[in-house]
Amino acid sequence: WVVKNQKYLLGFIGVIAFLVLGYLAYNKFVAEPKAKDAMNEMYTAKKYFDDAVSGVSSDSLYTMALNGGEGKYGMLDIINEYSGTPAANLANYYAGMSYLNLKDYQNAVTYLSDFSSDDKMLGPIAKGGIGDAFVQLEQNEDALEYYEKAFKANVNDFTTPMYLMKAARVAIDLGLNDKALGYLKRIKSEFSTSTEATQADVLIGKVEASL
């Protein structure tokens, strides 16, 4: 059968080899240079964002982080011009957090939802940012869902107790006192040295009284 069909087999192998070589060439000569250019282009926009976080003329700097300045790209340009690159993915995070600080909550949800990362800080913070936006939009059920995603994304001493506390507060507002109590007690037992642990004592008393 092989001898009889060798022409077809060789043709099939040739196509596979062509596709593999084409993929490798694309990565080497197109994708990798594009990704590098995107990271270089993002430098100025990230500096605007970092300066805004420091609190100096923050609203105008967040706007410049989004739209660019001094002839340089902003995060929105990076997303549009370098779609599919790691820089464009990261730009979604910075754009979403910029919109959150500018109180444009719907755009904050949109861009943070387009960001994906396994980073132990950025991943939870992005999900928590979506939760914060939903709170401002008075969509507490959605906010609770994303706060829960945030504290489950990575367990650490900074983001986990912070989002457990936010989830507990929203759960209380929703009348989910059993769930809130579980989150508050987890803060006390697993993150006893956190800032949230001292706040948890008061809330535990209130929730237990209501139950």
Side-chain angles (χ1 to χ4, degrees):
W1 183 88
V2 172
V3 173
K4 186 177 179 180
N5 295 279
Q6 62 180 335
K7 181 166 50 172
Y8 301 106
L9 288 171
L10 290 172
F12 177 74
I13 293 169
V15 169
I16 296 298
F18 176 79
L19 291 174
V20 170
L21 290 172
Y23 173 78
L24 293 173
Y26 175 82
N27 278 342
K28 181 68 176 177
F29 298 109
V30 179
E32 289 180 12
K34 183 180 180 182
K36 185 177 180 180
D37 287 346
M39 291 302 293
N40 290 335
E41 289 286 354
M42 197 167 68
Y43 174 81
T44 301
K46 185 178 182 303
K47 187 176 186 306
Y48 290 141
F49 180 89
D50 292 340
D51 288 345
V53 171
S54 299
V56 182
S57 302
S58 57
D59 281 2
S60 61
L61 285 169
Y62 281 125
T63 300
M64 291 174 74
L66 286 166
N67 299 317
E70 302 175 23
K72 300 295 185 180
Y73 278 174
M75 296 301 176
L76 300 181
D77 297 310
I78 300 295
I79 293 166
N80 291 327
E81 296 295 326
Y82 295 98
S83 176
T85 66
N89 179 50
L90 190 57
N92 278 311
Y93 170 81
Y94 289 119
M97 296 304 290
S98 295
Y99 278 123
L100 183 63
N101 283 281
L102 290 169
K103 299 179 173 56
D104 185 342
Y105 302 116
Q106 195 58 62
N107 267 324
V109 171
T110 297
Y111 283 94
L112 288 173
S113 296
D114 285 340
F115 171 69
S116 61
S117 175
D118 294 328
D119 184 272
K120 70 178 183 179
M121 290 297 173
L122 293 186
I125 290 171
K127 290 179 173 60
I130 296 173
D132 291 342
F134 276 132
V135 166
Q136 297 301 322
L137 292 168
E138 299 182 353
Q139 296 176 225
N140 280 355
E141 291 87 355
D142 294 318
L144 179 58
E145 176 187 349
Y146 275 91
Y147 285 145
E148 289 172 338
K149 288 181 178 180
F151 70 67
K152 291 174 183 175
N154 181 272
V155 177
N156 62 74
D157 292 336
F158 175 66
T159 64
T160 309
M162 177 169 64
Y163 292 121
L164 279 167
M165 175 58 73
K166 291 190 175 191
R169 290 185 183 279
V170 172
I172 291 170
D173 290 341
L174 290 170
L176 303 173
N177 290 326
D178 285 331
K179 178 174 281 194
L181 188 60
Y183 294 156
L184 293 168
K185 287 186 174 180
R186 183 178 171 192
I187 292 171
K188 289 293 294 179
S189 64
E190 296 181 29
F191 306 96
S192 59
T193 60
S194 66
T195 303
E196 290 78 13
T198 56
Q199 303 168 21
D201 286 326
V202 175
L203 288 176
I204 287 172
K206 289 182 178 179
V207 173
E208 287 181 334
S210 68
L211 289 172

